[in-house]
Amino acid sequence: MANFEIPVTEYMTSPVEAIPVGTSLPAANELFSQQGVSALGVIDDTGELKGVISRTDLLHAAVYTHGETFRVPDRAVEELMKSPAIQVALDAPLSDAAKLMLKNHVHRVFVTQDGRPEGVVSTRDLMRAVREKRLKTPIAEIASGSVVKVKAEDPIALAVDRLDLSNKHGLVVVEGSFPVGVFDQSCALASRRLPPNTAVEHAMDVRILILPGAIGMGRAAEQALSMNVRRILIEDDLGVNAIVGGLDFARVMN
């Protein structure tokens, strides 16, 4: 396997998308949508990183109400944020960031100096590193996730419940037995004000990537990045039966 003792600074995203302590959960959710991120650093008035708030945290805090699938409560982010945020130093190798993601089951690690965030490394950045290494190892060898499905005609309330109960970040939406989309945390939050009996097909993300298990990890990462998808579905003679997610690319580096 390739060596990933590359400095995190070569792959981190900077500046960090962060919000101050005291920001409301609805305001954080708006930033998730505007910035296209799944988590935000939470900083104090000195700029020190105090924690991280994610879409998962917002979904866990969901309040169910009549006529809507759920709503995000008007609470301060520090009430739900994870603290301390997982972080590495500026001189840490990328492999250390990957190890921390796996150990803590998180999809990003903050890069800090003197407690202040200088950048963030996500599983998407790990994909970029795998792409650049042009790894030939078949993606079937790193697939660890089982496929959890929901029907296109199922109500979004069922899909939101299944996301929570399965502890998954995304469900595969099928029409018959064929995948037609993904219903993930972003879709759930975007559709929260819709009636709970709204069909999943009206709220799903239609961007999906289905590849044979024999394709190399570097090629698979390249296609996922170009399509801006976070999961790769693996298809064999029996159909789609495995999935590769961001943390699977972290596993490649250990």
Side-chain angles (χ1 to χ4, degrees):
M1 201 67 75
N3 186 319
F4 287 95
E5 300 303 300
I6 316 156
V8 289
T9 49
E10 291 192 22
Y11 285 93
M12 73 181 190
T13 299
S14 182
V16 176
E17 297 292 346
I19 52 176
V21 168
T23 302
S24 70
L25 295 179
N29 185 46
E30 289 302 316
L31 278 174
F32 287 149
S33 299
Q34 291 172 15
Q35 304 299 332
V37 297
S38 60
L40 294 162
V42 181
I43 55 175
D44 64 15
D45 54 8
T46 69
E48 184 176 345
L49 184 66
K50 307 305 291 185
V52 58
I53 188 80
S54 69
R55 281 182 175 140
T56 301
D57 299 324
L58 265 61
L59 287 172
H60 285 336
V63 175
Y64 296 90
T65 183
H66 180 71
E68 297 179 350
T69 301
F70 67 89
R71 64 180 174 84
V72 176
D74 190 12
R75 298 166 61 186
V77 291
E78 59 267 27
E79 295 182 37
L80 289 178
M81 71 181 186
K82 299 293 188 299
S83 181
I86 308 301
Q87 51 196 284
V88 294
L90 283 168
D91 59 355
L94 192 62
S95 59
D96 280 5
K99 288 174 185 174
L100 284 171
M101 289 184 202
L102 285 172
K103 179 182 178 180
N104 296 280
H105 203 74
V106 296
H107 288 256
R108 86 285 308 162
V109 171
F110 291 89
V111 182
T112 59
Q113 184 174 40
D114 298 326
R116 292 176 173 80
E118 299 290 336
V120 62
V121 176
S122 69
T123 51
R124 185 170 176 81
D125 298 313
L126 302 187
M127 275 190 196
R128 291 198 294 120
V130 169
R131 176 192 62 188
E132 290 174 14
K133 292 286 186 179
R134 296 292 178 189
L135 297 186
K136 303 295 185 183
T137 306
I139 55 172
E141 293 189 16
I142 63 166
S144 64
S146 57
V147 178
V148 180
K149 300 176 181 177
V150 65
K151 297 177 182 177
E153 65 270 23
D154 282 339
I156 55 175
L158 182 149
V160 171
D161 285 345
R162 193 163 293 173
L163 267 179
D164 185 38
L165 293 173
S166 65
N167 198 29
K168 298 288 186 183
H169 288 265
L171 309 174
V172 177
V173 184
V174 295
E175 192 165 86
S177 60
F178 189 77
V180 292
V182 171
F183 185 87
D184 59 12
Q185 294 176 330
S186 177
C187 297
L189 287 166
S191 64
R192 67 190 184 280
R193 293 193 179 94
L194 295 175
N197 61 349
T198 303
V200 169
E201 63 184 332
H202 298 302
M204 68 184 184
D205 186 344
V206 298
R207 294 172 301 169
I208 54 174
L209 177 58
I210 306 173
L211 296 173
I215 198 167
M217 289 187 290
R219 180 72 66 193
E222 182 174 44
Q223 293 198 29
L225 288 165
S226 68
M227 293 178 62
N228 195 26
V229 297
R230 297 178 181 273
R231 301 163 196 87
I232 301 167
L233 306 182
I234 298 180
E235 185 175 41
D236 60 17
D237 293 341
L238 300 177
V240 171
N241 63 0
I243 189 167
V244 173
L247 288 179
D248 295 315
F249 285 95
R251 195 171 292 106
V252 171
M253 300 183 182
N254 292 274

PDB file of all heavy atoms in Angstrom, residues 137-169:
ATOM      1  N   THR A 137      -5.439  -1.079  -6.019  1.00  0.00           N
ATOM      2  CA  THR A 137      -6.163  -2.054  -5.201  1.00  0.00           C
ATOM      3  C   THR A 137      -7.659  -1.955  -5.471  1.00  0.00           C
ATOM      4  O   THR A 137      -8.226  -0.867  -5.460  1.00  0.00           O
ATOM      5  CB  THR A 137      -5.904  -1.800  -3.705  1.00  0.00           C
ATOM      6  OG1 THR A 137      -4.494  -1.777  -3.471  1.00  0.00           O
ATOM      7  CG2 THR A 137      -6.547  -2.879  -2.853  1.00  0.00           C
ATOM      8  N   PRO A 138      -8.344  -3.091  -5.728  1.00  0.00           N
ATOM      9  CA  PRO A 138      -9.775  -3.055  -6.030  1.00  0.00           C
ATOM     10  C   PRO A 138     -10.595  -2.475  -4.877  1.00  0.00           C
ATOM     11  O   PRO A 138     -10.319  -2.755  -3.704  1.00  0.00           O
ATOM     12  CB  PRO A 138     -10.129  -4.536  -6.252  1.00  0.00           C
ATOM     13  CG  PRO A 138      -8.845  -5.178  -6.630  1.00  0.00           C
ATOM     14  CD  PRO A 138      -7.783  -4.450  -5.853  1.00  0.00           C
ATOM     15  N   ILE A 139     -11.589  -1.684  -5.212  1.00  0.00           N
ATOM     16  CA  ILE A 139     -12.412  -1.067  -4.156  1.00  0.00           C
ATOM     17  C   ILE A 139     -13.168  -2.112  -3.344  1.00  0.00           C
ATOM     18  O   ILE A 139     -13.517  -1.870  -2.191  1.00  0.00           O
ATOM     19  CB  ILE A 139     -13.400  -0.025  -4.725  1.00  0.00           C
ATOM     20  CG1 ILE A 139     -14.277  -0.629  -5.832  1.00  0.00           C
ATOM     21  CG2 ILE A 139     -12.679   1.212  -5.192  1.00  0.00           C
ATOM     22  CD1 ILE A 139     -15.391   0.304  -6.273  1.00  0.00           C
ATOM     23  N   ALA A 140     -13.413  -3.278  -3.924  1.00  0.00           N
ATOM     24  CA  ALA A 140     -14.113  -4.334  -3.176  1.00  0.00           C
ATOM     25  C   ALA A 140     -13.335  -4.731  -1.926  1.00  0.00           C
ATOM     26  O   ALA A 140     -13.922  -5.195  -0.942  1.00  0.00           O
ATOM     27  CB  ALA A 140     -14.328  -5.552  -4.066  1.00  0.00           C
ATOM     28  N   GLU A 141     -12.010  -4.531  -1.944  1.00  0.00           N
ATOM     29  CA  GLU A 141     -11.179  -4.924  -0.807  1.00  0.00           C
ATOM     30  C   GLU A 141     -11.272  -3.963   0.368  1.00  0.00           C
ATOM     31  O   GLU A 141     -10.844  -4.304   1.478  1.00  0.00           O
ATOM     32  CB  GLU A 141      -9.716  -5.065  -1.247  1.00  0.00           C
ATOM     33  CG  GLU A 141      -9.484  -6.225  -2.214  1.00  0.00           C
ATOM     34  CD  GLU A 141      -8.014  -6.481  -2.465  1.00  0.00           C
ATOM     35  OE1 GLU A 141      -7.183  -5.980  -1.677  1.00  0.00           O
ATOM     36  OE2 GLU A 141      -7.699  -7.172  -3.451  1.00  0.00           O
ATOM     37  N   ILE A 142     -11.791  -2.762   0.131  1.00  0.00           N
ATOM     38  CA  ILE A 142     -11.900  -1.812   1.245  1.00  0.00           C
ATOM     39  C   ILE A 142     -13.350  -1.559   1.641  1.00  0.00           C
ATOM     40  O   ILE A 142     -13.609  -0.858   2.617  1.00  0.00           O
ATOM     41  CB  ILE A 142     -11.221  -0.470   0.922  1.00  0.00           C
ATOM     42  CG1 ILE A 142     -11.908   0.243  -0.262  1.00  0.00           C
ATOM     43  CG2 ILE A 142      -9.751  -0.643   0.669  1.00  0.00           C
ATOM     44  CD1 ILE A 142     -11.508   1.699  -0.404  1.00  0.00           C
ATOM     45  N   ALA A 143     -14.310  -2.114   0.889  1.00  0.00           N
ATOM     46  CA  ALA A 143     -15.728  -1.892   1.207  1.00  0.00           C
ATOM     47  C   ALA A 143     -16.039  -2.500   2.571  1.00  0.00           C
ATOM     48  O   ALA A 143     -15.759  -3.663   2.828  1.00  0.00           O
ATOM     49  CB  ALA A 143     -16.616  -2.505   0.137  1.00  0.00           C
ATOM     50  N   SER A 144     -16.606  -1.704   3.452  1.00  0.00           N
ATOM     51  CA  SER A 144     -16.948  -2.205   4.784  1.00  0.00           C
ATOM     52  C   SER A 144     -18.410  -1.977   5.133  1.00  0.00           C
ATOM     53  O   SER A 144     -18.935  -2.576   6.059  1.00  0.00           O
ATOM     54  CB  SER A 144     -16.072  -1.530   5.848  1.00  0.00           C
ATOM     55  OG  SER A 144     -16.328  -0.137   5.884  1.00  0.00           O
ATOM     56  N   GLY A 145     -19.043  -1.082   4.388  1.00  0.00           N
ATOM     57  CA  GLY A 145     -20.405  -0.720   4.730  1.00  0.00           C
ATOM     58  C   GLY A 145     -21.445  -1.586   4.065  1.00  0.00           C
ATOM     59  O   GLY A 145     -21.337  -1.932   2.893  1.00  0.00           O
ATOM     60  N   SER A 146     -22.452  -1.988   4.838  1.00  0.00           N
ATOM     61  CA  SER A 146     -23.598  -2.682   4.269  1.00  0.00           C
ATOM     62  C   SER A 146     -24.538  -1.654   3.646  1.00  0.00           C
ATOM     63  O   SER A 146     -24.560  -0.489   4.051  1.00  0.00           O
ATOM     64  CB  SER A 146     -24.335  -3.477   5.343  1.00  0.00           C
ATOM     65  OG  SER A 146     -24.740  -2.611   6.391  1.00  0.00           O
ATOM     66  N   VAL A 147     -25.294  -2.070   2.662  1.00  0.00           N
ATOM     67  CA  VAL A 147     -26.210  -1.169   1.964  1.00  0.00           C
ATOM     68  C   VAL A 147     -27.567  -1.179   2.670  1.00  0.00           C
ATOM     69  O   VAL A 147     -28.193  -2.225   2.813  1.00  0.00           O
ATOM     70  CB  VAL A 147     -26.381  -1.590   0.491  1.00  0.00           C
ATOM     71  CG1 VAL A 147     -27.376  -0.674  -0.204  1.00  0.00           C
ATOM     72  CG2 VAL A 147     -25.040  -1.562  -0.226  1.00  0.00           C
ATOM     73  N   VAL A 148     -27.988  -0.023   3.136  1.00  0.00           N
ATOM     74  CA  VAL A 148     -29.316   0.132   3.732  1.00  0.00           C
ATOM     75  C   VAL A 148     -30.171   0.874   2.723  1.00  0.00           C
ATOM     76  O   VAL A 148     -29.803   1.947   2.254  1.00  0.00           O
ATOM     77  CB  VAL A 148     -29.256   0.896   5.071  1.00  0.00           C
ATOM     78  CG1 VAL A 148     -30.653   1.045   5.658  1.00  0.00           C
ATOM     79  CG2 VAL A 148     -28.343   0.176   6.049  1.00  0.00           C
ATOM     80  N   LYS A 149     -31.316   0.279   2.383  1.00  0.00           N
ATOM     81  CA  LYS A 149     -32.126   0.811   1.297  1.00  0.00           C
ATOM     82  C   LYS A 149     -33.454   1.387   1.789  1.00  0.00           C
ATOM     83  O   LYS A 149     -33.947   1.044   2.860  1.00  0.00           O
ATOM     84  CB  LYS A 149     -32.406  -0.293   0.268  1.00  0.00           C
ATOM     85  CG  LYS A 149     -31.146  -0.889  -0.356  1.00  0.00           C
ATOM     86  CD  LYS A 149     -31.475  -2.039  -1.283  1.00  0.00           C
ATOM     87  CE  LYS A 149     -30.209  -2.656  -1.879  1.00  0.00           C
ATOM     88  NZ  LYS A 149     -30.509  -3.823  -2.731  1.00  0.00           N
ATOM     89  N   VAL A 150     -34.012   2.241   0.955  1.00  0.00           N
ATOM     90  CA  VAL A 150     -35.351   2.763   1.154  1.00  0.00           C
ATOM     91  C   VAL A 150     -35.980   2.878  -0.233  1.00  0.00           C
ATOM     92  O   VAL A 150     -35.278   3.135  -1.216  1.00  0.00           O
ATOM     93  CB  VAL A 150     -35.314   4.132   1.883  1.00  0.00           C
ATOM     94  CG1 VAL A 150     -34.642   5.187   1.026  1.00  0.00           C
ATOM     95  CG2 VAL A 150     -36.695   4.580   2.306  1.00  0.00           C
ATOM     96  N   LYS A 151     -37.268   2.646  -0.333  1.00  0.00           N
ATOM     97  CA  LYS A 151     -37.944   2.713  -1.626  1.00  0.00           C
ATOM     98  C   LYS A 151     -38.234   4.159  -2.015  1.00  0.00           C
ATOM     99  O   LYS A 151     -38.481   5.006  -1.144  1.00  0.00           O
ATOM    100  CB  LYS A 151     -39.247   1.919  -1.583  1.00  0.00           C
ATOM    101  CG  LYS A 151     -39.067   0.431  -1.342  1.00  0.00           C
ATOM    102  CD  LYS A 151     -40.417  -0.261  -1.239  1.00  0.00           C
ATOM    103  CE  LYS A 151     -40.259  -1.742  -0.941  1.00  0.00           C
ATOM    104  NZ  LYS A 151     -41.573  -2.417  -0.758  1.00  0.00           N
ATOM    105  N   ALA A 152     -38.212   4.415  -3.308  1.00  0.00           N
ATOM    106  CA  ALA A 152     -38.464   5.770  -3.800  1.00  0.00           C
ATOM    107  C   ALA A 152     -39.834   6.279  -3.370  1.00  0.00           C
ATOM    108  O   ALA A 152     -40.013   7.479  -3.131  1.00  0.00           O
ATOM    109  CB  ALA A 152     -38.351   5.798  -5.328  1.00  0.00           C
ATOM    110  N   GLU A 153     -40.789   5.351  -3.232  1.00  0.00           N
ATOM    111  CA  GLU A 153     -42.144   5.763  -2.864  1.00  0.00           C
ATOM    112  C   GLU A 153     -42.386   5.811  -1.357  1.00  0.00           C
ATOM    113  O   GLU A 153     -43.447   6.244  -0.890  1.00  0.00           O
ATOM    114  CB  GLU A 153     -43.176   4.828  -3.509  1.00  0.00           C
ATOM    115  CG  GLU A 153     -43.129   3.383  -3.027  1.00  0.00           C
ATOM    116  CD  GLU A 153     -42.209   2.504  -3.854  1.00  0.00           C
ATOM    117  OE1 GLU A 153     -41.298   3.046  -4.509  1.00  0.00           O
ATOM    118  OE2 GLU A 153     -42.426   1.283  -3.836  1.00  0.00           O
ATOM    119  N   ASP A 154     -41.404   5.391  -0.570  1.00  0.00           N
ATOM    120  CA  ASP A 154     -41.549   5.443   0.888  1.00  0.00           C
ATOM    121  C   ASP A 154     -41.618   6.886   1.374  1.00  0.00           C
ATOM    122  O   ASP A 154     -41.058   7.795   0.741  1.00  0.00           O
ATOM    123  CB  ASP A 154     -40.366   4.749   1.568  1.00  0.00           C
ATOM    124  CG  ASP A 154     -40.465   3.231   1.542  1.00  0.00           C
ATOM    125  OD1 ASP A 154     -41.584   2.713   1.367  1.00  0.00           O
ATOM    126  OD2 ASP A 154     -39.421   2.567   1.698  1.00  0.00           O
ATOM    127  N   PRO A 155     -42.282   7.136   2.511  1.00  0.00           N
ATOM    128  CA  PRO A 155     -42.343   8.504   3.042  1.00  0.00           C
ATOM    129  C   PRO A 155     -41.012   8.938   3.640  1.00  0.00           C
ATOM    130  O   PRO A 155     -40.254   8.116   4.168  1.00  0.00           O
ATOM    131  CB  PRO A 155     -43.421   8.401   4.129  1.00  0.00           C
ATOM    132  CG  PRO A 155     -43.419   6.967   4.544  1.00  0.00           C
ATOM    133  CD  PRO A 155     -43.079   6.182   3.304  1.00  0.00           C
ATOM    134  N   ILE A 156     -40.729  10.239   3.569  1.00  0.00           N
ATOM    135  CA  ILE A 156     -39.458  10.721   4.092  1.00  0.00           C
ATOM    136  C   ILE A 156     -39.363  10.523   5.603  1.00  0.00           C
ATOM    137  O   ILE A 156     -38.248  10.380   6.135  1.00  0.00           O
ATOM    138  CB  ILE A 156     -39.193  12.195   3.717  1.00  0.00           C
ATOM    139  CG1 ILE A 156     -40.338  13.105   4.170  1.00  0.00           C
ATOM    140  CG2 ILE A 156     -38.933  12.342   2.243  1.00  0.00           C
ATOM    141  CD1 ILE A 156     -40.052  14.575   3.910  1.00  0.00           C
ATOM    142  N   ALA A 157     -40.491  10.486   6.308  1.00  0.00           N
ATOM    143  CA  ALA A 157     -40.447  10.234   7.753  1.00  0.00           C
ATOM    144  C   ALA A 157     -39.820   8.876   8.034  1.00  0.00           C
ATOM    145  O   ALA A 157     -39.023   8.725   8.968  1.00  0.00           O
ATOM    146  CB  ALA A 157     -41.847  10.302   8.340  1.00  0.00           C
ATOM    147  N   LEU A 158     -40.152   7.888   7.217  1.00  0.00           N
ATOM    148  CA  LEU A 158     -39.561   6.553   7.366  1.00  0.00           C
ATOM    149  C   LEU A 158     -38.063   6.604   7.076  1.00  0.00           C
ATOM    150  O   LEU A 158     -37.251   5.991   7.780  1.00  0.00           O
ATOM    151  CB  LEU A 158     -40.256   5.562   6.438  1.00  0.00           C
ATOM    152  CG  LEU A 158     -39.804   4.098   6.495  1.00  0.00           C
ATOM    153  CD1 LEU A 158     -40.956   3.163   6.166  1.00  0.00           C
ATOM    154  CD2 LEU A 158     -38.637   3.823   5.526  1.00  0.00           C
ATOM    155  N   ALA A 159     -37.679   7.337   6.040  1.00  0.00           N
ATOM    156  CA  ALA A 159     -36.264   7.432   5.666  1.00  0.00           C
ATOM    157  C   ALA A 159     -35.450   8.108   6.768  1.00  0.00           C
ATOM    158  O   ALA A 159     -34.338   7.672   7.082  1.00  0.00           O
ATOM    159  CB  ALA A 159     -36.126   8.200   4.353  1.00  0.00           C
ATOM    160  N   VAL A 160     -35.994   9.163   7.370  1.00  0.00           N
ATOM    161  CA  VAL A 160     -35.296   9.856   8.453  1.00  0.00           C
ATOM    162  C   VAL A 160     -35.107   8.912   9.639  1.00  0.00           C
ATOM    163  O   VAL A 160     -34.030   8.841  10.244  1.00  0.00           O
ATOM    164  CB  VAL A 160     -36.062  11.120   8.879  1.00  0.00           C
ATOM    165  CG1 VAL A 160     -35.455  11.715  10.154  1.00  0.00           C
ATOM    166  CG2 VAL A 160     -36.036  12.167   7.761  1.00  0.00           C
ATOM    167  N   ASP A 161     -36.151   8.150   9.982  1.00  0.00           N
ATOM    168  CA  ASP A 161     -36.045   7.177  11.071  1.00  0.00           C
ATOM    169  C   ASP A 161     -34.994   6.119  10.761  1.00  0.00           C
ATOM    170  O   ASP A 161     -34.208   5.733  11.624  1.00  0.00           O
ATOM    171  CB  ASP A 161     -37.393   6.495  11.312  1.00  0.00           C
ATOM    172  CG  ASP A 161     -38.381   7.390  12.036  1.00  0.00           C
ATOM    173  OD1 ASP A 161     -37.944   8.415  12.594  1.00  0.00           O
ATOM    174  OD2 ASP A 161     -39.587   7.069  12.030  1.00  0.00           O
ATOM    175  N   ARG A 162     -34.969   5.660   9.511  1.00  0.00           N
ATOM    176  CA  ARG A 162     -34.028   4.613   9.127  1.00  0.00           C
ATOM    177  C   ARG A 162     -32.591   5.127   9.160  1.00  0.00           C
ATOM    178  O   ARG A 162     -31.674   4.402   9.535  1.00  0.00           O
ATOM    179  CB  ARG A 162     -34.378   4.070   7.745  1.00  0.00           C
ATOM    180  CG  ARG A 162     -33.666   2.774   7.388  1.00  0.00           C
ATOM    181  CD  ARG A 162     -34.342   2.077   6.220  1.00  0.00           C
ATOM    182  NE  ARG A 162     -35.672   1.596   6.563  1.00  0.00           N
ATOM    183  CZ  ARG A 162     -36.529   1.063   5.695  1.00  0.00           C
ATOM    184  NH1 ARG A 162     -36.173   0.954   4.413  1.00  0.00           N
ATOM    185  NH2 ARG A 162     -37.705   0.649   6.083  1.00  0.00           N
ATOM    186  N   LEU A 163     -32.400   6.400   8.784  1.00  0.00           N
ATOM    187  CA  LEU A 163     -31.074   7.003   8.900  1.00  0.00           C
ATOM    188  C   LEU A 163     -30.584   6.952  10.340  1.00  0.00           C
ATOM    189  O   LEU A 163     -29.433   6.596  10.621  1.00  0.00           O
ATOM    190  CB  LEU A 163     -31.120   8.471   8.454  1.00  0.00           C
ATOM    191  CG  LEU A 163     -30.796   8.837   7.018  1.00  0.00           C
ATOM    192  CD1 LEU A 163     -30.948  10.340   6.828  1.00  0.00           C
ATOM    193  CD2 LEU A 163     -29.406   8.400   6.614  1.00  0.00           C
ATOM    194  N   ASP A 164     -31.475   7.299  11.263  1.00  0.00           N
ATOM    195  CA  ASP A 164     -31.116   7.354  12.672  1.00  0.00           C
ATOM    196  C   ASP A 164     -30.861   5.956  13.241  1.00  0.00           C
ATOM    197  O   ASP A 164     -29.838   5.700  13.883  1.00  0.00           O
ATOM    198  CB  ASP A 164     -32.232   8.051  13.452  1.00  0.00           C
ATOM    199  CG  ASP A 164     -31.873   8.267  14.912  1.00  0.00           C
ATOM    200  OD1 ASP A 164     -30.700   8.568  15.191  1.00  0.00           O
ATOM    201  OD2 ASP A 164     -32.755   8.131  15.770  1.00  0.00           O
ATOM    202  N   LEU A 165     -31.766   5.036  12.967  1.00  0.00           N
ATOM    203  CA  LEU A 165     -31.669   3.696  13.541  1.00  0.00           C
ATOM    204  C   LEU A 165     -30.503   2.896  12.977  1.00  0.00           C
ATOM    205  O   LEU A 165     -29.895   2.081  13.681  1.00  0.00           O
ATOM    206  CB  LEU A 165     -32.982   2.935  13.311  1.00  0.00           C
ATOM    207  CG  LEU A 165     -34.206   3.479  14.057  1.00  0.00           C
ATOM    208  CD1 LEU A 165     -35.468   2.759  13.607  1.00  0.00           C
ATOM    209  CD2 LEU A 165     -34.018   3.332  15.564  1.00  0.00           C
ATOM    210  N   SER A 166     -30.186   3.113  11.708  1.00  0.00           N
ATOM    211  CA  SER A 166     -29.113   2.349  11.074  1.00  0.00           C
ATOM    212  C   SER A 166     -27.736   2.948  11.353  1.00  0.00           C
ATOM    213  O   SER A 166     -26.714   2.346  11.044  1.00  0.00           O
ATOM    214  CB  SER A 166     -29.324   2.290   9.557  1.00  0.00           C
ATOM    215  OG  SER A 166     -29.212   3.583   8.981  1.00  0.00           O
ATOM    216  N   ASN A 167     -27.723   4.166  11.939  1.00  0.00           N
ATOM    217  CA  ASN A 167     -26.466   4.871  12.205  1.00  0.00           C
ATOM    218  C   ASN A 167     -25.669   5.081  10.920  1.00  0.00           C
ATOM    219  O   ASN A 167     -24.447   5.001  10.912  1.00  0.00           O
ATOM    220  CB  ASN A 167     -25.625   4.115  13.232  1.00  0.00           C
ATOM    221  CG  ASN A 167     -24.559   5.008  13.857  1.00  0.00           C
ATOM    222  OD1 ASN A 167     -24.726   6.218  13.961  1.00  0.00           O
ATOM    223  ND2 ASN A 167     -23.452   4.403  14.257  1.00  0.00           N
ATOM    224  N   LYS A 168     -26.397   5.328   9.818  1.00  0.00           N
ATOM    225  CA  LYS A 168     -25.763   5.576   8.527  1.00  0.00           C
ATOM    226  C   LYS A 168     -25.864   7.060   8.182  1.00  0.00           C
ATOM    227  O   LYS A 168     -26.754   7.777   8.655  1.00  0.00           O
ATOM    228  CB  LYS A 168     -26.459   4.769   7.423  1.00  0.00           C
ATOM    229  CG  LYS A 168     -26.384   3.260   7.600  1.00  0.00           C
ATOM    230  CD  LYS A 168     -25.003   2.732   7.324  1.00  0.00           C
ATOM    231  CE  LYS A 168     -24.971   1.216   7.371  1.00  0.00           C
ATOM    232  NZ  LYS A 168     -23.602   0.690   7.159  1.00  0.00           N
ATOM    233  N   HIS A 169     -24.955   7.515   7.332  1.00  0.00           N
ATOM    234  CA  HIS A 169     -25.008   8.897   6.843  1.00  0.00           C
ATOM    235  C   HIS A 169     -25.834   8.997   5.563  1.00  0.00           C
ATOM    236  O   HIS A 169     -26.175  10.090   5.142  1.00  0.00           O
ATOM    237  CB  HIS A 169     -23.593   9.421   6.590  1.00  0.00           C
ATOM    238  CG  HIS A 169     -22.837   9.697   7.854  1.00  0.00           C
ATOM    239  ND1 HIS A 169     -22.775  10.935   8.436  1.00  0.00           N
ATOM    240  CD2 HIS A 169     -22.115   8.873   8.659  1.00  0.00           C
ATOM    241  CE1 HIS A 169     -22.046  10.880   9.540  1.00  0.00           C
ATOM    242  NE2 HIS A 169     -21.634   9.640   9.686  1.00  0.00           N
TER     243      HIS A 169
END
